[in-house]
Amino acid sequence: MKFILALTVACVALATADKLTGKEPIPILRQQSEINPDGSYQWSYETGNGINAEERGFLKNAGNPETEAEVAQGSFEYTAPNGELVQTSYIADENGFQPQGTHIPKPPPIPEPILRALEILARLPPPKN
C-alpha cells in the first residue's frame, strides 16, 4: 500500500512539474529507429529546441574473433546556453570513444625532445622475455 501511495505521489509530482517550473514540454519533431537482423542499427531524432542526434552501429570484421569489434558512429548538435552551436561527431570502436568538435579542447603539441625520444624507442628491438 505504501508503494502505491508513493508511486501516485511521484506521478502527480511529475505531471505537475512543467506547470510548477513554467516550462513547456519540448516536442520531438522527428524520430527514426531501425534494428537489423545482423545486429546493425541506426537511429536519429530532432527536437523542437534544436537538438539533433544520429547514430549507426555495426559489427566490424564479423566472424573473425581476432579483429571483430563493435562500431558506433554518430553526431549530435545543440545550442549552448551562451548561444553557441555545439556540433560533435564521434566514433566508438576497438580504439575507444573518439569525439571531434571545435568546442573540444586540443592538447598542446608534443615537445620536440619527447618526439625524438619516442622515435628512438620505436626503432629499438622488442625486449626479450
Side-chain angles (χ1 to χ4, degrees), residues 41 43 45 52-57 71-77 87-93 96-101 104:
Y41 67 91
W43 57 259
Y45 67 85
N52 290 295
E54 61 183 38
E55 182 178 287
R56 70 182 191 93
V71 178
Q73 294 176 296
S75 64
F76 59 89
E77 67 179 43
Q87 296 176 313
T88 304
S89 61
Y90 60 88
I91 184 168
D93 59 12
F97 181 70
Q98 305 155 58
Q100 294 181 348
I104 298 173

Side-chain angles (χ1 to χ4, degrees), residues 18-19 21-28 48-49:
D18 291 336
K19 292 179 178 121
T21 62
K23 295 181 181 179
E24 292 291 321
I26 298 169
I28 297 174
N49 63 348

Side-chain angles (χ1 to χ4, degrees), residues 16-109:
T16 60
D18 291 336
K19 292 179 178 121
L20 294 174
T21 62
K23 295 181 181 179
E24 292 291 321
I26 298 169
I28 297 174
L29 304 177
R30 179 183 53 82
Q31 181 177 6
Q32 298 174 333
S33 178
E34 179 182 326
I35 301 173
N36 300 312
D38 65 356
S40 64
Y41 67 91
Q42 63 182 19
W43 57 259
S44 64
Y45 67 85
E46 178 182 0
T47 65
N49 63 348
I51 297 173
N52 290 295
E54 61 183 38
E55 182 178 287
R56 70 182 191 93
F58 57 93
L59 189 60
K60 181 169 139 182
N61 298 327
N64 185 352
E66 297 296 318
T67 60
E68 192 172 75
E70 293 181 41
V71 178
Q73 294 176 296
S75 64
F76 59 89
E77 67 179 43
Y78 63 92
T79 303
N82 66 0
E84 175 189 2
L85 180 62
V86 176
Q87 296 176 313
T88 304
S89 61
Y90 60 88
I91 184 168
D93 59 12
E94 68 275 12
N95 299 311
F97 181 70
Q98 305 155 58
Q100 294 181 348
T102 57
H103 64 288
I104 298 173
K106 304 286 187 253

